[in-house]
Amino acid sequence: MKRRLIRHSAEIVILVALHFTLLHWLAERDVVSVVFSAGQHTPRWMLLSAGAFLLVRLLVLLFLPGMILNRIVLMIVENRSKQ
Amino acid sequence: MNRFVAWAAGFAAFLLPLWFLPHRWCERDSAAWFRGDEQLQNQLARGVERLITNPISRANFKTGSAQFDGEWLFGAYLMAGFGFGQTTLEHPQFRSRHLPLMELCAERILSDDVRAFDREMWRNDPLDTLDRDTGHDHAAYLGYFNLLLSFHRQLEPNSKFAPLNDRITAALARRLERSPTMLLQSYPAETYPVDNTAVIASIAAQHRPLVEKWIARCRKDYLDPKTGLLIQAVEPHSGSAADSPRGSGTALAAYFLSFADPVFSRDLYRAAKTHLADTFLGFGVVREYPRHIRNGRGDIDSGPIILGYSISATGFLIAGGRTNGDAEEFARLTGTAHLFGAPLRRGDRREYVTGGPLGNAILFAMLTARRQSP
């Protein structure tokens, strides 16, 4: 139980830290602004970076709260069934 | 059984926050934006100031088309100028800093490299042809720019741009009077009613009867009778529809017309809200095409279309929400701008990381759009 809690917490911290790092790193280099204005001259690495950033952002802002609650509920249910 | 219960409880636990939390989190600044919070406006103004005082050129945009890159460069200065003007109007203490920035935007729009996109399309300069009518309307460049100049003059009656504003206004009014469709061409054989709403708003202070006549004509001929949405493009000579009624054009027209005719602006906003606005997980999203039009394509005006929803229409309708006192729609759309725009505070400035110069300038203009008195 304790080990799983630590693992889940680490996953959450890593996701949030990744989002924070990408946000600052990509902002510094003005990379993600191509994502809504991409054309044939947009370098592929820029598009990939921008797409990856948006994916991480959606994961953190949209799905992370649900993932956390889901894991808490599953741990509680599992704990109860063991008792 | 226990396993099923655990699975169902876990699934519900995953879904519940998805419905209730993310949009509320992303909307948390919307009330402050709506009431015109001085600090927020100042932060975004500083972000836009950084972007437009750095030398930017067509090379900063990567649309794949020199013309569109030029339009976006022009649009970045234009929208930044509106933002600086609107914040000056709302918070007079910004005047000493924002009015010169608005003037900087106007000067950059006047520069040779920014007006090149229009000159390349028409093969003559928009400012060289002001005193003669050769069928070269230059509606996009002149209409949008003149609206910025008219707005500047409203804020600064002794505007140094007043003589140019008068010349452009006279040229646009004269060309409109002569046009059988009452529409001017943005580029050769390309006529967009939305560009003409900027033309109309820009001459409203000096040519009210013509503006009234134009609005009546637009309501009759250039709105979709089913939805009240603005037709995106028309045939230059007949004025018949060449494209569908669309969200990006209607929402942007509602913004421009708020400078000249609040009633028509509100009608366009309501049409867009009724027929195009939606929510997805609580986030406000706006369709580019009404529901009865299937497989509508995205283009440079709409931006990418995802599940039928348009980036541009969603962004432009933010202004309509604020202008028309619709706090709920404003909050929903601002939440979406937060989710995809990724605002970041650095020191005293705030910038939308995915916006670049144009996206930030547009959001600056939309989030600070002038509120109409009820």
Side-chain angles (χ1 to χ4, degrees):
Chain A
M1 173 87 170
K2 197 177 168 189
R3 196 184 290 171
R4 201 193 292 178
L5 204 64
I6 292 170
R7 201 184 73 211
H8 290 334
S9 305
E11 283 171 6
I12 293 162
V13 170
I14 288 169
L15 259 182
V16 173
L18 180 66
H19 175 253
F20 184 82
T21 310
L22 277 175
L23 182 67
H24 282 261
W25 187 75
L26 294 172
E28 212 54 60
R29 284 149 189 82
D30 192 24
V31 168
V32 276
S33 64
V34 301
V35 74
F36 296 127
S37 60
Q40 61 210 41
H41 296 274
T42 310
R44 190 167 288 182
W45 73 269
M46 279 179 115
L47 269 178
L48 283 174
S49 309
F53 166 70
L54 271 184
L55 269 179
V56 172
R57 184 169 175 81
L58 292 180
L59 198 64
V60 170
L61 266 67
L62 288 183
F63 300 114
L64 193 62
M67 282 160 60
I68 294 170
L69 198 61
N70 166 277
R71 284 170 189 191
I72 291 171
V73 166
L74 286 182
M75 279 196 295
I76 291 170
V77 170
E78 216 167 273
N79 224 25
R80 280 197 167 185
S81 64
K82 274 182 188 168
Q83 288 168 2
Chain B
M1 182 63 186
N2 269 350
R3 219 170 155 183
F4 175 75
V5 171
W7 183 87
F11 190 62
F14 176 75
L15 281 187
L16 270 177
L18 187 62
W19 286 108
F20 293 107
L21 281 183
H23 73 93
R24 286 195 168 84
W25 171 260
C26 291
E27 285 171 16
R28 66 192 186 281
D29 285 337
S30 68
W33 278 117
F34 189 75
R35 66 168 183 270
D37 182 84
E38 185 185 333
Q39 197 186 359
L40 273 179
Q41 290 195 357
N42 186 48
Q43 287 166 2
L44 186 53
R46 301 289 68 79
V48 173
E49 179 180 355
R50 183 190 77 87
L51 290 166
I52 60 138
T53 49
N54 279 339
I56 54 171
S57 68
R58 283 182 177 190
N60 288 75
F61 303 95
K62 295 176 172 63
T63 64
S65 150
Q67 184 209 338
F68 294 147
D69 289 344
E71 283 183 5
W72 287 35
L73 177 64
F74 169 73
Y77 288 115
L78 182 84
M79 288 300 184
F82 285 126
F84 289 123
Q86 287 160 182
T87 46
T88 297
L89 202 61
E90 188 155 14
H91 299 289
Q93 62 273 31
F94 288 156
R95 186 182 177 90
S96 60
R97 186 157 184 181
H98 288 196
L99 211 57
L101 286 166
M102 190 183 186
E103 287 162 8
L104 172 76
C105 291
E107 277 155 14
R108 286 292 293 131
I109 289 172
L110 264 177
S111 69
D112 212 43
D113 59 320
V114 176
R115 64 178 203 264
F117 77 95
D118 183 79
R119 194 172 51 236
E120 286 161 10
M121 290 298 285
W122 283 102
R123 296 178 190 278
N124 59 36
D125 193 281
L127 301 178
D128 289 348
T129 53
L130 286 179
D131 302 319
R132 56 182 195 275
D133 294 331
T134 52
H136 296 173
D137 294 335
H138 297 277
Y141 179 87
L142 292 179
Y144 292 121
F145 181 39
N146 198 43
L147 180 55
L148 185 67
L149 297 185
S150 298
F151 185 30
H152 181 262
R153 203 165 171 183
Q154 184 192 332
L155 299 168
E156 173 58 284
N158 298 318
S159 167
K160 60 182 173 181
F161 301 108
L164 180 61
N165 181 218
D166 283 339
R167 281 183 67 211
I168 299 178
T169 298
L172 293 174
R174 204 175 57 240
R175 290 169 189 176
L176 273 174
E177 300 257 27
R178 286 183 185 172
S179 165
T181 59
M182 287 200 82
L183 293 174
L184 304 184
Q185 294 181 35
S186 296
Y187 301 121
E190 292 183 41
T191 303
Y192 304 100
V194 58
D195 293 349
N196 280 266
T197 61
V199 170
I200 284 301
S202 83
I203 65 169
Q206 296 186 40
H207 294 273
R208 197 71 221 176
L210 176 61
V211 168
E212 299 294 342
K213 203 170 135 192
W214 186 90
I215 288 170
R217 179 76 185 267
C218 183
R219 283 184 185 275
K220 183 167 100 38
D221 290 339
Y222 308 125
L223 297 187
D224 174 41
K226 260 190 194 168
T227 58
L229 298 169
L230 190 69
I231 305 288
Q232 192 83 353
V234 301
E235 297 292 346
H237 300 295
S238 66
S240 58
D243 194 352
S244 310
R246 287 175 51 178
S248 53
T250 304
L252 190 58
Y255 171 68
F256 289 130
L257 286 167
S258 71
F259 288 84
D261 193 294
V263 175
F264 192 23
S265 166
R266 190 194 58 214
D267 291 347
L268 289 176
Y269 170 72
R270 284 182 180 165
K273 189 182 168 187
T274 305
H275 296 282
L276 304 172
D278 239 328
T279 55
F280 188 79
L281 297 175
F283 289 93
V285 281
V286 180
R287 306 183 75 83
E288 179 64 10
Y289 295 89
R291 283 175 188 82
H292 67 271
I293 298 175
R294 294 185 188 277
N295 304 322
R297 283 186 182 175
D299 58 15
I300 197 74
D301 295 331
S302 66
I305 292 185
I306 304 161
L307 303 174
Y309 300 112
S310 149
I311 302 283
S312 301
T314 302
F316 291 146
L317 207 64
I318 291 173
R322 185 158 199 261
T323 301
N324 294 287
D326 188 347
E328 286 180 16
E329 189 61 37
F330 180 84
R332 284 191 286 268
L333 296 169
T334 308
T336 309
H338 182 99
L339 178 65
F340 289 102
L344 177 64
R345 264 198 71 185
R346 280 185 290 187
D348 68 338
R349 57 177 210 270
R350 169 185 293 255
E351 286 172 27
Y352 287 86
V353 171
T354 62
L358 180 64
N360 276 278
I362 288 175
L363 280 172
F364 184 33
M366 300 299 121
L367 288 164
T368 62
R370 298 177 311 166
R371 291 170 72 171
Q372 306 288 356
S373 38

